[in-house]
Amino acid sequence: MRALADLHNHSCLSPCASLEESPSLLARLARERGLGFVALTDHNSALNCPAFDEACRREGLAPLFGIEACSVEEVHVLCIFGRVEPALDFGLRLRSALIPLPYDPEKLGDQVVVDADEEVLELVDFYLGAALILGFDEICAEAAERGALVIPAHVDRPMFSVSSQLGFLPPGPYDAVESMREPAPELRGGHTAISGSDAHYPEHVARRPFAVELPDGASELRGDSLLEALRASLRAGLVRPSWGGQA
Ligand SMILES: [Zn+2]
Ligand SMILES: [Zn+2]
């Protein structure tokens, strides 16, 4: 079977995302716009994943639970799990590596934890967009060890990417790389390249998904079996990215 997947989406927990972008709105728009497999990947935190899980259940969507981690070199990497618990555990681990910088919501935006009915549960009072005190290689190794899909984010973007911060893609346990356009060979490193919406606003949802070939019946898979089916298809290169669109 072929489906549309999008592994890079933010919610109202990310300081730079729209307050409107609740996990439930993300799930509803993803379904309306034809996505089958969708990951929530807020900056350095998985606290909205429980709401996203419930919202996707209501919409009949297959959810994945991630974090877009920001390394000490300010490189972004998507770490994506099949279940909520390991995502929350990894979030706790990253929290211990996040310096609690003074945070001004007026300037940087609120960071809101909600439930699937958009009730506010918590306002996070330390800045989630900061760099972790963990190297890019350390984050990738630890996420892989914990069973996550590891996907360096927007590798060809002029900020927060392996190309802008490191100048190249170091060897690592990657399942794919995400890029805005067909990446140069040195940024691809022999890995499968995918597109991703990096949605921060409702209008961004499903702007750059990728088509993926999965075994028949995969739309019924959830949790770790879904994650492993997706990993196998990514590693085998059974994808068709949608390059272009807005940056
Ligand atoms: Zn990013
Ligand atoms: Zn992002």
Side-chain angles (χ1 to χ4, degrees):
M1 63 165 287
R2 175 172 275 234
L4 282 179
D6 200 327
L7 303 182
H8 194 164
N9 295 286
H10 295 266
S11 75
C12 49
L13 178 59
S14 291
C16 42
S18 162
L19 272 186
E20 262 185 279
E21 181 89 336
S22 63
S24 49
L25 182 64
L26 171 62
R28 182 163 62 77
L29 293 175
R31 194 221 352 111
E32 286 175 1
R33 295 174 189 175
L35 301 184
F37 303 92
V38 188
L40 176 63
T41 51
D42 281 308
H43 293 293
N44 292 331
S45 177
L47 288 174
N48 268 348
C49 284
F52 188 60
D53 190 20
E54 172 64 27
C56 286
R57 216 184 297 271
R58 292 178 188 172
E59 300 291 342
L61 267 186
L64 293 150
F65 307 101
I67 290 177
E68 182 175 26
C70 180
S71 76
V72 74
E73 307 92 341
E74 299 201 293
V75 178
H76 288 180
V77 54
L78 303 171
C79 307
I80 297 171
F81 298 87
R83 290 176 295 114
V84 172
E85 295 74 21
L88 287 172
D89 282 351
F90 191 52
L92 279 178
R93 159 70 180 117
L94 296 187
R95 181 169 175 171
S96 72
L98 196 55
I99 296 167
L101 296 172
Y103 174 59
D104 181 0
E106 292 284 313
K107 274 200 196 127
L108 295 166
D110 285 314
Q111 304 176 129
V112 189
V113 182
V114 292
D115 67 13
D117 298 312
E118 301 188 332
E119 293 295 327
V120 175
L121 302 178
E122 186 187 344
L123 292 170
V124 175
D125 63 0
F126 54 95
Y127 184 48
L128 289 172
L132 298 157
I133 49 168
L134 288 171
F136 173 72
D137 55 342
E138 291 177 280
I139 294 171
C140 292
E142 184 159 347
E145 173 98 350
R146 289 166 177 259
L149 298 179
V150 179
I151 303 174
H154 40 69
V155 292
D156 54 346
R157 201 181 261 176
M159 55 204 297
F160 300 120
S161 71
V162 288
S163 56
S164 70
Q165 306 307 108
L166 306 177
F168 68 110
L169 179 74
Y174 317 127
D175 295 288
V177 297
E178 181 207 47
S179 69
M180 311 298 294
R181 295 183 182 75
E182 176 91 54
E186 65 271 23
L187 290 181
R188 186 177 199 140
H191 300 280
T192 297
I194 59 169
S195 49
S197 287
D198 196 3
H200 286 74
Y201 294 86
E203 57 267 34
H204 293 169
V205 176
R207 65 179 166 172
R208 284 190 298 265
F210 64 95
V212 58
E213 198 64 50
L214 289 158
D216 285 340
S219 59
E220 304 304 315
L221 295 177
R222 295 291 184 272
D224 292 338
S225 40
L226 167 61
L227 191 79
E228 293 314 320
L230 196 55
R231 190 195 309 274
S233 290
L234 288 173
R235 292 209 165 214
L238 303 176
V239 304
R240 207 178 37 144
S242 50
W243 308 120
Q246 310 155 259

